[in-house]
mmCIF file of all heavy atoms in Angstrom:
data_model
loop_
_atom_site.group_PDB
_atom_site.id
_atom_site.type_symbol
_atom_site.label_atom_id
_atom_site.label_comp_id
_atom_site.label_asym_id
_atom_site.label_seq_id
_atom_site.Cartn_x
_atom_site.Cartn_y
_atom_site.Cartn_z
ATOM 1 N N GLU A 1 93.261 242.434 224.224
ATOM 2 C CA GLU A 1 94.025 242.152 223.035
ATOM 3 C C GLU A 1 95.244 241.268 223.422
ATOM 4 O O GLU A 1 95.799 241.366 224.495
ATOM 5 C CB GLU A 1 94.537 243.401 222.416
ATOM 6 C CG GLU A 1 93.456 244.417 222.042
ATOM 7 C CD GLU A 1 93.099 245.370 223.184
ATOM 8 O OE1 GLU A 1 93.610 245.172 224.341
ATOM 9 O OE2 GLU A 1 92.311 246.317 222.960
ATOM 10 N N SER A 2 95.652 240.407 222.452
ATOM 11 C CA SER A 2 96.826 239.560 222.656
ATOM 12 C C SER A 2 97.393 239.169 221.309
ATOM 13 O O SER A 2 96.758 239.371 220.277
ATOM 14 C CB SER A 2 96.445 238.323 223.451
ATOM 15 O OG SER A 2 95.490 237.520 222.756
ATOM 16 N N GLY A 3 98.595 238.567 221.364
ATOM 17 C CA GLY A 3 99.200 238.046 220.175
ATOM 18 C C GLY A 3 100.291 238.871 219.524
ATOM 19 O O GLY A 3 100.924 238.477 218.548
ATOM 20 N N GLY A 4 100.574 240.026 220.154
ATOM 21 C CA GLY A 4 101.624 240.841 219.594
ATOM 22 C C GLY A 4 103.019 240.243 219.851
ATOM 23 O O GLY A 4 103.136 239.246 220.535
ATOM 24 N N GLY A 5 104.015 240.912 219.292
ATOM 25 C CA GLY A 5 105.389 240.422 219.485
ATOM 26 C C GLY A 5 106.346 241.132 218.510
ATOM 27 O O GLY A 5 105.990 242.103 217.894
ATOM 28 N N LEU A 6 107.563 240.587 218.513
ATOM 29 C CA LEU A 6 108.611 241.102 217.612
ATOM 30 C C LEU A 6 108.649 240.237 216.380
ATOM 31 O O LEU A 6 108.732 238.986 216.474
ATOM 32 C CB LEU A 6 109.942 241.086 218.344
ATOM 33 C CG LEU A 6 111.177 241.412 217.508
ATOM 34 C CD1 LEU A 6 111.115 242.900 216.978
ATOM 35 C CD2 LEU A 6 112.431 241.201 218.314
ATOM 36 N N VAL A 7 108.612 240.836 215.207
ATOM 37 C CA VAL A 7 108.658 240.129 213.959
ATOM 38 C C VAL A 7 109.526 240.840 212.960
ATOM 39 O O VAL A 7 109.586 242.111 213.025
ATOM 40 C CB VAL A 7 107.204 239.897 213.432
ATOM 41 C CG1 VAL A 7 106.519 241.212 213.130
ATOM 42 C CG2 VAL A 7 107.187 238.940 212.223
ATOM 43 N N GLN A 8 110.139 240.111 212.066
ATOM 44 C CA GLN A 8 110.995 240.764 211.069
ATOM 45 C C GLN A 8 110.097 241.295 209.954
ATOM 46 O O GLN A 8 108.986 240.840 209.711
ATOM 47 C CB GLN A 8 111.961 239.721 210.473
ATOM 48 C CG GLN A 8 113.041 239.291 211.470
ATOM 49 C CD GLN A 8 114.067 238.406 210.802
ATOM 50 O OE1 GLN A 8 113.870 237.878 209.732
ATOM 51 N NE2 GLN A 8 115.214 238.329 211.443
ATOM 52 N N PRO A 9 110.622 242.338 209.251
ATOM 53 C CA PRO A 9 109.849 242.827 208.101
ATOM 54 C C PRO A 9 109.525 241.730 207.111
ATOM 55 O O PRO A 9 110.387 240.846 206.868
ATOM 56 C CB PRO A 9 110.839 243.866 207.469
ATOM 57 C CG PRO A 9 111.622 244.282 208.603
ATOM 58 C CD PRO A 9 111.836 243.100 209.501
ATOM 59 N N GLY A 10 108.292 241.715 206.617
ATOM 60 C CA GLY A 10 107.846 240.678 205.729
ATOM 61 C C GLY A 10 107.192 239.543 206.447
ATOM 62 O O GLY A 10 106.576 238.661 205.806
ATOM 63 N N GLY A 11 107.268 239.514 207.759
ATOM 64 C CA GLY A 11 106.664 238.425 208.529
ATOM 65 C C GLY A 11 105.226 238.585 208.801
ATOM 66 O O GLY A 11 104.625 239.593 208.341
ATOM 67 N N SER A 12 104.650 237.682 209.626
ATOM 68 C CA SER A 12 103.232 237.719 209.901
ATOM 69 C C SER A 12 102.964 237.562 211.400
ATOM 70 O O SER A 12 103.802 236.984 212.140
ATOM 71 C CB SER A 12 102.524 236.550 209.168
ATOM 72 O OG SER A 12 102.651 236.646 207.818
ATOM 73 N N LEU A 13 101.863 238.079 211.818
ATOM 74 C CA LEU A 13 101.392 237.902 213.216
ATOM 75 C C LEU A 13 99.872 237.852 213.182
ATOM 76 O O LEU A 13 99.259 238.483 212.275
ATOM 77 C CB LEU A 13 101.793 239.098 214.102
ATOM 78 C CG LEU A 13 103.151 239.115 214.765
ATOM 79 C CD1 LEU A 13 103.310 240.426 215.524
ATOM 80 C CD2 LEU A 13 103.382 237.920 215.661
ATOM 81 N N LYS A 14 99.301 237.163 214.119
ATOM 82 C CA LYS A 14 97.847 237.102 214.225
ATOM 83 C C LYS A 14 97.430 237.600 215.616
ATOM 84 O O LYS A 14 97.835 236.987 216.627
ATOM 85 C CB LYS A 14 97.271 235.708 213.996
ATOM 86 C CG LYS A 14 95.761 235.662 213.959
ATOM 87 C CD LYS A 14 95.248 234.275 213.535
ATOM 88 C CE LYS A 14 93.735 234.252 213.361
ATOM 89 N NZ LYS A 14 93.218 232.944 212.951
ATOM 90 N N LEU A 15 96.752 238.692 215.682
ATOM 91 C CA LEU A 15 96.256 239.266 216.912
ATOM 92 C C LEU A 15 94.881 238.729 217.270
ATOM 93 O O LEU A 15 94.091 238.454 216.339
ATOM 94 C CB LEU A 15 96.208 240.779 216.835
ATOM 95 C CG LEU A 15 97.513 241.474 216.412
ATOM 96 C CD1 LEU A 15 97.311 242.991 216.488
ATOM 97 C CD2 LEU A 15 98.686 241.049 217.221
ATOM 98 N N SER A 16 94.608 238.658 218.546
ATOM 99 C CA SER A 16 93.267 238.218 219.020
ATOM 100 C C SER A 16 92.692 239.294 219.930
ATOM 101 O O SER A 16 93.430 240.004 220.609
ATOM 102 C CB SER A 16 93.360 236.890 219.797
ATOM 103 O OG SER A 16 93.841 235.861 219.018
ATOM 104 N N CYS A 17 91.428 239.427 219.831
ATOM 105 C CA CYS A 17 90.684 240.388 220.659
ATOM 106 C C CYS A 17 89.507 239.634 221.286
ATOM 107 O O CYS A 17 88.540 239.296 220.599
ATOM 108 C CB CYS A 17 90.189 241.503 219.730
ATOM 109 S SG CYS A 17 88.875 242.562 220.404
ATOM 110 N N THR A 18 89.642 239.377 222.575
ATOM 111 C CA THR A 18 88.645 238.558 223.298
ATOM 112 C C THR A 18 87.759 239.451 224.120
ATOM 113 O O THR A 18 88.236 240.307 224.874
ATOM 114 C CB THR A 18 89.339 237.513 224.171
ATOM 115 O OG1 THR A 18 90.211 236.724 223.365
ATOM 116 C CG2 THR A 18 88.298 236.584 224.843
ATOM 117 N N ALA A 19 86.446 239.227 223.959
ATOM 118 C CA ALA A 19 85.432 240.077 224.628
ATOM 119 C C ALA A 19 85.070 239.527 226.004
ATOM 120 O O ALA A 19 85.172 238.354 226.257
ATOM 121 C CB ALA A 19 84.219 240.225 223.744
ATOM 122 N N SER A 20 84.559 240.435 226.863
ATOM 123 C CA SER A 20 84.162 240.069 228.199
ATOM 124 C C SER A 20 82.763 239.400 228.197
ATOM 125 O O SER A 20 82.339 238.852 229.246
ATOM 126 C CB SER A 20 84.151 241.290 229.101
ATOM 127 O OG SER A 20 83.259 242.271 228.590
ATOM 128 N N ALA A 21 82.063 239.514 227.127
ATOM 129 C CA ALA A 21 80.728 238.907 226.959
ATOM 130 C C ALA A 21 80.486 238.672 225.505
ATOM 131 O O ALA A 21 81.328 238.884 224.667
ATOM 132 C CB ALA A 21 79.699 239.842 227.601
ATOM 133 N N SER A 22 79.291 238.242 225.208
ATOM 134 C CA SER A 22 78.974 237.914 223.835
ATOM 135 C C SER A 22 79.115 239.094 222.902
ATOM 136 O O SER A 22 78.753 240.220 223.209
ATOM 137 C CB SER A 22 77.497 237.375 223.746
ATOM 138 O OG SER A 22 77.133 237.206 222.402
ATOM 139 N N ILE A 23 79.682 238.847 221.717
ATOM 140 C CA ILE A 23 79.838 239.884 220.702
ATOM 141 C C ILE A 23 78.792 239.703 219.605
ATOM 142 O O ILE A 23 78.780 240.441 218.621
ATOM 143 C CB ILE A 23 81.237 239.893 220.086
ATOM 144 C CG1 ILE A 23 81.501 238.616 219.312
ATOM 145 C CG2 ILE A 23 82.286 240.150 221.131
ATOM 146 C CD1 ILE A 23 82.823 238.654 218.502
ATOM 147 N N ALA A 24 77.891 238.770 219.772
ATOM 148 C CA ALA A 24 76.954 238.440 218.731
ATOM 149 C C ALA A 24 76.086 239.621 218.350
ATOM 150 O O ALA A 24 75.636 239.782 217.193
ATOM 151 C CB ALA A 24 76.062 237.252 219.115
ATOM 152 N N THR A 25 75.787 240.489 219.322
ATOM 153 C CA THR A 25 74.921 241.633 219.056
ATOM 154 C C THR A 25 75.650 242.909 218.777
ATOM 155 O O THR A 25 75.040 243.959 218.581
ATOM 156 C CB THR A 25 73.947 241.863 220.220
ATOM 157 O OG1 THR A 25 74.750 242.105 221.405
ATOM 158 C CG2 THR A 25 73.033 240.645 220.474
ATOM 159 N N ILE A 26 76.954 242.835 218.743
ATOM 160 C CA ILE A 26 77.780 244.018 218.422
ATOM 161 C C ILE A 26 77.936 244.097 216.928
ATOM 162 O O ILE A 26 78.544 243.227 216.294
ATOM 163 C CB ILE A 26 79.153 243.998 219.117
ATOM 164 C CG1 ILE A 26 79.007 243.878 220.636
ATOM 165 C CG2 ILE A 26 79.977 245.212 218.717
ATOM 166 C CD1 ILE A 26 80.338 243.691 221.338
ATOM 167 N N TYR A 27 77.405 245.146 216.358
ATOM 168 C CA TYR A 27 77.349 245.200 214.875
ATOM 169 C C TYR A 27 78.753 245.276 214.253
ATOM 170 O O TYR A 27 79.051 244.548 213.325
ATOM 171 C CB TYR A 27 76.513 246.391 214.406
ATOM 172 C CG TYR A 27 76.542 246.472 212.909
ATOM 173 C CD1 TYR A 27 75.907 245.516 212.126
ATOM 174 C CD2 TYR A 27 77.203 247.539 212.236
ATOM 175 C CE1 TYR A 27 75.978 245.557 210.738
ATOM 176 C CE2 TYR A 27 77.237 247.601 210.896
ATOM 177 C CZ TYR A 27 76.610 246.632 210.111
ATOM 178 O OH TYR A 27 76.708 246.665 208.778
ATOM 179 N N ALA A 28 79.600 246.139 214.824
ATOM 180 C CA ALA A 28 80.910 246.298 214.234
ATOM 181 C C ALA A 28 81.967 246.496 215.283
ATOM 182 O O ALA A 28 81.810 247.183 216.251
ATOM 183 C CB ALA A 28 80.895 247.509 213.291
ATOM 184 N N ILE A 29 83.089 245.785 215.083
ATOM 185 C CA ILE A 29 84.229 245.900 215.964
ATOM 186 C C ILE A 29 85.423 246.310 215.158
ATOM 187 O O ILE A 29 85.688 245.755 214.091
ATOM 188 C CB ILE A 29 84.470 244.504 216.674
ATOM 189 C CG1 ILE A 29 83.244 244.160 217.542
ATOM 190 C CG2 ILE A 29 85.732 244.586 217.521
ATOM 191 C CD1 ILE A 29 83.329 242.753 218.129
ATOM 192 N N GLY A 30 86.185 247.254 215.700
ATOM 193 C CA GLY A 30 87.307 247.790 214.966
ATOM 194 C C GLY A 30 88.652 247.464 215.596
ATOM 195 O O GLY A 30 88.710 247.215 216.792
ATOM 196 N N TRP A 31 89.683 247.431 214.778
ATOM 197 C CA TRP A 31 91.102 247.379 215.242
ATOM 198 C C TRP A 31 91.663 248.766 215.033
ATOM 199 O O TRP A 31 91.410 249.440 214.005
ATOM 200 C CB TRP A 31 91.882 246.357 214.469
ATOM 201 C CG TRP A 31 91.660 244.957 214.939
ATOM 202 C CD1 TRP A 31 90.880 243.997 214.376
ATOM 203 C CD2 TRP A 31 92.304 244.273 216.045
ATOM 204 N NE1 TRP A 31 90.965 242.795 215.053
ATOM 205 C CE2 TRP A 31 91.873 242.959 216.114
ATOM 206 C CE3 TRP A 31 93.261 244.736 216.969
ATOM 207 C CZ2 TRP A 31 92.299 242.056 217.055
ATOM 208 C CZ3 TRP A 31 93.679 243.838 217.958
ATOM 209 C CH2 TRP A 31 93.202 242.507 217.927
ATOM 210 N N TYR A 32 92.487 249.173 216.001
ATOM 211 C CA TYR A 32 93.124 250.466 215.954
ATOM 212 C C TYR A 32 94.595 250.291 216.405
ATOM 213 O O TYR A 32 94.982 249.278 216.937
ATOM 214 C CB TYR A 32 92.464 251.423 216.988
ATOM 215 C CG TYR A 32 90.973 251.552 216.749
ATOM 216 C CD1 TYR A 32 90.077 250.588 217.214
ATOM 217 C CD2 TYR A 32 90.429 252.639 216.082
ATOM 218 C CE1 TYR A 32 88.691 250.701 217.017
ATOM 219 C CE2 TYR A 32 89.057 252.741 215.854
ATOM 220 C CZ TYR A 32 88.219 251.775 216.332
ATOM 221 O OH TYR A 32 86.890 251.885 216.132
ATOM 222 N N ARG A 33 95.391 251.287 216.123
ATOM 223 C CA ARG A 33 96.799 251.214 216.571
ATOM 224 C C ARG A 33 97.276 252.623 216.936
ATOM 225 O O ARG A 33 96.765 253.626 216.481
ATOM 226 C CB ARG A 33 97.719 250.603 215.495
ATOM 227 C CG ARG A 33 97.834 251.399 214.208
ATOM 228 C CD ARG A 33 98.599 250.602 213.157
ATOM 229 N NE ARG A 33 98.733 251.319 211.886
ATOM 230 C CZ ARG A 33 99.249 250.749 210.801
ATOM 231 N NH1 ARG A 33 99.661 249.501 210.800
ATOM 232 N NH2 ARG A 33 99.320 251.478 209.690
ATOM 233 N N GLN A 34 98.299 252.648 217.782
ATOM 234 C CA GLN A 34 98.827 253.911 218.279
ATOM 235 C C GLN A 34 100.318 253.805 218.441
ATOM 236 O O GLN A 34 100.831 252.834 219.025
ATOM 237 C CB GLN A 34 98.152 254.325 219.560
ATOM 238 C CG GLN A 34 98.555 255.736 219.993
ATOM 239 C CD GLN A 34 97.646 256.184 221.184
ATOM 240 O OE1 GLN A 34 97.168 255.378 221.958
ATOM 241 N NE2 GLN A 34 97.546 257.492 221.322
ATOM 242 N N VAL A 35 100.991 254.806 217.935
ATOM 243 C CA VAL A 35 102.433 254.964 218.083
ATOM 244 C C VAL A 35 102.650 256.076 219.133
ATOM 245 O O VAL A 35 101.921 257.092 219.111
ATOM 246 C CB VAL A 35 103.085 255.356 216.774
ATOM 247 C CG1 VAL A 35 104.571 255.627 216.956
ATOM 248 C CG2 VAL A 35 102.885 254.234 215.729
ATOM 249 N N PRO A 36 103.626 255.925 220.047
ATOM 250 C CA PRO A 36 103.841 256.958 221.039
ATOM 251 C C PRO A 36 103.972 258.353 220.395
ATOM 252 O O PRO A 36 104.686 258.535 219.402
ATOM 253 C CB PRO A 36 105.165 256.555 221.707
ATOM 254 C CG PRO A 36 105.132 255.053 221.562
ATOM 255 C CD PRO A 36 104.529 254.777 220.218
ATOM 256 N N GLY A 37 103.279 259.283 220.960
ATOM 257 C CA GLY A 37 103.366 260.676 220.467
ATOM 258 C C GLY A 37 102.392 260.953 219.344
ATOM 259 O O GLY A 37 102.314 262.126 218.873
ATOM 260 N N LYS A 38 101.652 259.960 218.877
ATOM 261 C CA LYS A 38 100.682 260.159 217.797
ATOM 262 C C LYS A 38 99.292 259.722 218.244
ATOM 263 O O LYS A 38 99.145 258.995 219.201
ATOM 264 C CB LYS A 38 101.090 259.384 216.549
ATOM 265 C CG LYS A 38 102.368 259.859 215.928
ATOM 266 C CD LYS A 38 102.586 259.187 214.575
ATOM 267 C CE LYS A 38 103.815 259.745 213.862
ATOM 268 N NZ LYS A 38 104.053 259.109 212.538
ATOM 269 N N GLU A 39 98.291 260.232 217.509
ATOM 270 C CA GLU A 39 96.945 259.842 217.855
ATOM 271 C C GLU A 39 96.674 258.400 217.451
ATOM 272 O O GLU A 39 97.291 257.876 216.499
ATOM 273 C CB GLU A 39 95.973 260.775 217.136
ATOM 274 C CG GLU A 39 95.950 262.172 217.699
ATOM 275 C CD GLU A 39 94.756 262.957 217.192
ATOM 276 O OE1 GLU A 39 93.955 262.440 216.407
ATOM 277 O OE2 GLU A 39 94.638 264.140 217.570
ATOM 278 N N ARG A 40 95.738 257.790 218.173
ATOM 279 C CA ARG A 40 95.332 256.418 217.816
ATOM 280 C C ARG A 40 94.662 256.480 216.413
ATOM 281 O O ARG A 40 93.884 257.408 216.129
ATOM 282 C CB ARG A 40 94.374 255.887 218.844
ATOM 283 C CG ARG A 40 93.999 254.417 218.668
ATOM 284 C CD ARG A 40 93.086 253.980 219.817
ATOM 285 N NE ARG A 40 93.841 253.768 221.083
ATOM 286 C CZ ARG A 40 93.574 254.443 222.195
ATOM 287 N NH1 ARG A 40 92.621 255.331 222.248
ATOM 288 N NH2 ARG A 40 94.298 254.209 223.289
ATOM 289 N N GLU A 41 94.936 255.511 215.574
ATOM 290 C CA GLU A 41 94.354 255.498 214.258
ATOM 291 C C GLU A 41 93.584 254.221 213.995
ATOM 292 O O GLU A 41 93.961 253.157 214.542
ATOM 293 C CB GLU A 41 95.392 255.665 213.167
ATOM 294 C CG GLU A 41 96.386 254.570 213.019
ATOM 295 C CD GLU A 41 97.353 254.746 211.840
ATOM 296 O OE1 GLU A 41 97.201 255.712 211.070
ATOM 297 O OE2 GLU A 41 98.190 253.839 211.609
ATOM 298 N N TRP A 42 92.571 254.292 213.188
ATOM 299 C CA TRP A 42 91.768 253.124 212.849
ATOM 300 C C TRP A 42 92.547 252.310 211.817
ATOM 301 O O TRP A 42 93.202 252.854 210.902
ATOM 302 C CB TRP A 42 90.425 253.577 212.263
ATOM 303 C CG TRP A 42 89.666 252.524 211.595
ATOM 304 C CD1 TRP A 42 89.017 251.521 212.150
ATOM 305 C CD2 TRP A 42 89.512 252.355 210.174
ATOM 306 N NE1 TRP A 42 88.422 250.701 211.182
ATOM 307 C CE2 TRP A 42 88.751 251.219 209.963
ATOM 308 C CE3 TRP A 42 89.979 253.102 209.068
ATOM 309 C CZ2 TRP A 42 88.392 250.767 208.701
ATOM 310 C CZ3 TRP A 42 89.596 252.653 207.776
ATOM 311 C CH2 TRP A 42 88.841 251.501 207.630
ATOM 312 N N VAL A 43 92.422 250.957 211.916
ATOM 313 C CA VAL A 43 93.145 250.059 211.028
ATOM 314 C C VAL A 43 92.149 249.226 210.212
ATOM 315 O O VAL A 43 92.290 249.083 208.980
ATOM 316 C CB VAL A 43 94.055 249.124 211.833
ATOM 317 C CG1 VAL A 43 94.653 248.061 210.944
ATOM 318 C CG2 VAL A 43 95.114 249.923 212.545
#
């Protein structure tokens, strides 16, 4: 994953997720996030 950073409320960011091989045969890819002390959640 890449593209994160510091942004002000109301702003925008575009994250990238680059695979180690072809993703053409991967049916579904998910984004998730985690805050310290909490479980990872699906986005």
Side-chain angles (χ1 to χ4, degrees):
E1 304 87 353
S2 62
L6 173 64
V7 62
Q8 292 188 342
S12 298
L13 276 177
K14 187 173 184 177
L15 306 184
S16 297
C17 164
T18 303
S20 59
S22 174
I23 64 171
T25 58
I26 300 175
Y27 177 67
I29 297 172
W31 279 99
Y32 305 81
R33 63 188 179 187
Q34 188 170 25
V35 174
K38 294 189 176 182
E39 290 193 359
R40 187 178 284 122
E41 66 173 0
W42 167 73
V43 174

